[in-house]
Amino acid sequence: MSDWPQGWTGDRNDRYGRGSGSSEPEGARAMPQVRRSAPGAGGPHGEPPLPPSMSPRGTVPRQQPSQGYDDHDPYDDGYNTGQVYGGGGPGAGGPGGTPGPARPKNWKRRITIGLVTFLVLLLAVGIGTYFWADSKLRREVDLSEVEDRPDGGKGTNYLIVGSDSREGLSAEQKKKLHTGSADGRRTDSMILLHVGDNGNTMISLPRDSWVTIPAFTGSDSGRRIPQSQNKLNASYSSEGPSLLVRTIEFNTGLKIDHYAEIGFDGFAKLVDGVGGVEIDIPQDMKEKNSGTDFKKGKQTLDGQQALAFVRQRYGLAGGDLDRTKNQQKFLSALANKAASPSTLINPFKLYPTMGAGLDNLVVDKDMGLFDVKDMFFAMKSVSGGDGKQMNMPVSNPGLSTSKGSAVQWDMTKVKELMSQLKNDEKVTVSSGN
């Protein structure tokens, strides 16, 4: 038997017994795999087997396979079970097995998913709100029942009616709102709103206007009722919205495209729903019948106060004509508040406003939510100066008739005004009152 000589340097890089000549740290070099020989067998070139003290797990130093190995290396068989410096696949650590840097998070993908989710939820809420609101509209007026209608013109014409309906009001509420307890139904205000490309126009029709009520067929009796002269309000009291629309179309020659009506209770709730409406009171107002008690100047009115403001007719210099001006002024301010961003983007204001308004809004069967939206935004534009507010031109505000004092229209101006509206021209006619 023979032992390996002390300090044997069989390898030209003097790997055994003297350390490695590599400049890499120990932890970065790979351990070559040693081929085991049968007992008593020598190395591939006849060298004696390694003694136990020189086994691969003993004193043999690790070295990168690419450094110092050639075909004559007796202990390199081309396989490496160690760790190569700087190598490693996915998830490999750094030098010495330390964890590598974390992969960057895909923020672009996360933002995209979040944005898509938000848009889907927003769309779902929007669709749900639409169907909820649409179901609340009271489509109770059938304009197809109106007889002998004129030809349509350019633009869209809305008839907006404030009725004195006490429907749903308790005795206590009637007292609080100063509505009285009169039977039957009457209009408290009538406004013709024209929406067109040359500006929007709001025209108040005094309810005491002296007009021709055309012949019609009674809804209860079924018999033909002859033509007559009466106050405009009488047509509504007799046969409701259908005959009112028929009477206005007959006297103006202008076709009404949509009808919208709201009663006392609905009006008050709508004002409260938007949190009150600021209005500039033109003069001190105090009147027992309507319940008004205001000082001149800007102030915010709640539902009860607003109803009193638009209903006052006594104590005003122009009587009913001044009242119609106040109604237009307030209705425009209400539409401006209801259609403002502070209401539309605030669900705590939007839904109460929509609920109060739509629950009490009576419209024609062909009127949809987008028509209601167009109507409100048109009134808002008028209040912002993009349009015109006026009364129907009047020649005699105190006409003596068999039905008492009435308002007589100036038919020359009325015909010119209606022609401008029908052709959607810029309105140049003045009311003169």
Side-chain angles (χ1 to χ4, degrees):
M1 293 184 62
S2 65
D3 293 325
W4 288 98
Q6 186 75 21
W8 179 81
T9 57
D11 186 89
R12 66 169 175 259
N13 290 325
D14 199 19
R15 288 169 298 187
Y16 302 113
R18 297 180 182 270
S20 173
S22 172
S23 61
E24 300 288 45
E26 284 291 323
R29 295 195 297 270
M31 170 72 75
Q33 192 172 25
V34 179
R35 182 183 294 113
R36 296 181 179 275
S37 301
H45 299 287
E47 300 93 343
L50 289 172
S53 61
M54 299 296 291
S55 67
R57 301 185 63 86
T59 60
V60 179
R62 291 176 296 172
Q63 186 172 357
Q64 286 182 323
S66 60
Q67 295 185 359
Y69 287 87
D70 54 27
D71 293 338
H72 303 289
D73 190 338
Y75 301 113
D76 182 12
D77 62 356
Y79 294 92
N80 183 10
T81 59
Q83 187 146 4
V84 179
Y85 180 74
T98 57
R103 294 182 62 185
K105 297 178 180 178
N106 193 340
W107 289 110
K108 183 177 180 181
R109 182 171 178 269
R110 292 188 179 188
I111 292 173
T112 301
I113 293 175
L115 183 60
V116 170
T117 302
F118 173 75
L119 292 176
V120 169
L121 289 175
L122 189 64
L123 180 62
V125 171
I127 293 175
T129 299
Y130 174 85
F131 284 104
W132 167 78
D134 188 71
S135 68
K136 283 182 169 291
L137 275 178
R138 296 171 57 183
R139 297 183 175 92
E140 300 175 5
V141 179
D142 189 357
L143 294 181
S144 67
E145 297 177 351
V146 180
E147 304 172 31
D148 302 324
R149 309 197 68 187
D151 294 333
K154 298 179 181 179
T156 304
N157 301 311
Y158 297 84
L159 179 60
I160 305 169
V161 174
S163 74
D164 66 355
S165 170
R166 282 96 174 153
E167 180 184 354
L169 292 178
S170 64
E172 182 180 351
Q173 288 174 318
K174 291 177 182 177
K175 182 179 180 180
K176 178 181 177 182
L177 297 176
H178 296 270
T179 64
S181 299
D183 295 327
R185 54 183 181 176
R186 286 164 295 278
T187 59
D188 209 61
S189 63
M190 288 171 281
I191 294 176
L192 183 61
L193 171 65
H194 175 78
V195 180
D197 294 332
N198 288 296
N200 305 318
T201 306
M202 292 178 68
I203 306 168
S204 286
L205 310 176
R207 66 180 189 173
D208 289 340
S209 298
W210 190 248
V211 296
T212 298
I213 297 179
F216 64 97
T217 303
S219 58
D220 295 329
S221 64
R223 65 185 180 86
R224 192 70 173 173
I225 299 173
Q227 180 175 296
S228 64
Q229 294 292 121
N230 210 327
K231 295 178 179 181
L232 181 58
N233 194 38
S235 61
Y236 180 88
S237 300
S238 175
E239 291 292 325
S242 295
L243 184 55
L244 175 62
V245 171
R246 165 80 171 120
T247 301
I248 292 174
E249 290 184 342
F250 182 86
N251 286 269
T252 64
L254 192 69
K255 184 178 181 180
I256 304 300
D257 298 299
H258 291 295
Y259 178 92
E261 176 187 323
I262 193 166
F264 286 160
D265 186 46
F267 180 81
K269 287 181 177 178
L270 182 57
V271 174
D272 287 334
V274 298
V277 175
E278 185 181 72
I279 194 77
D280 189 0
I281 307 293
Q283 63 189 52
D284 290 352
M285 300 174 65
K286 188 169 184 177
E287 198 259 321
K288 181 179 179 182
N289 292 334
S290 63
T292 55
D293 188 5
F294 307 121
K295 296 296 182 182
K296 179 180 178 180
K298 288 185 178 181
Q299 51 197 289
T300 299
L301 307 184
D302 61 20
Q304 178 184 344
Q305 294 169 325
L307 187 58
F309 176 75
V310 300
R311 293 188 64 231
Q312 181 178 349
R313 62 184 303 188
Y314 301 107
L316 299 177
D320 201 40
L321 295 178
D322 279 353
R323 178 172 106 132
T324 58
K325 293 177 182 177
N326 287 341
Q327 289 171 345
Q328 280 196 28
K329 184 177 183 178
F330 189 87
L331 194 59
S332 296
L334 172 60
N336 188 62
K337 182 72 177 286
S340 66
S342 63
T343 299
L344 296 177
I345 65 176
N346 184 350
F348 297 103
K349 278 190 176 182
L350 176 62
Y351 286 99
T353 300
M354 292 178 66
L358 298 176
D359 277 342
N360 299 279
L361 189 66
V362 176
V363 299
D364 65 88
K365 293 183 180 297
D366 295 325
M367 193 165 182
L369 279 179
F370 288 106
D371 297 311
V372 174
K373 181 266 295 179
D374 290 342
M375 180 181 72
F376 267 88
F377 274 88
M379 290 190 291
K380 177 183 178 181
S381 72
V382 171
S383 69
D386 185 18
K388 187 169 185 177
Q389 292 176 288
M390 61 185 294
N391 277 326
M392 187 68 86
V394 170
S395 59
N396 186 358
L399 179 68
S400 181
T401 71
S402 59
K403 304 294 184 179
S405 180
V407 175
Q408 185 177 33
W409 293 354
D410 184 335
M411 292 309 299
T412 301
K413 287 187 174 182
V414 168
K415 289 179 181 179
E416 184 181 0
L417 173 61
M418 294 303 124
S419 175
Q420 290 176 346
L421 295 180
K422 193 167 187 175
N423 295 312
D424 195 24
E425 300 171 351
K426 185 175 178 62
V427 173
T428 59
V429 178
S430 63
S431 60
N433 48 68

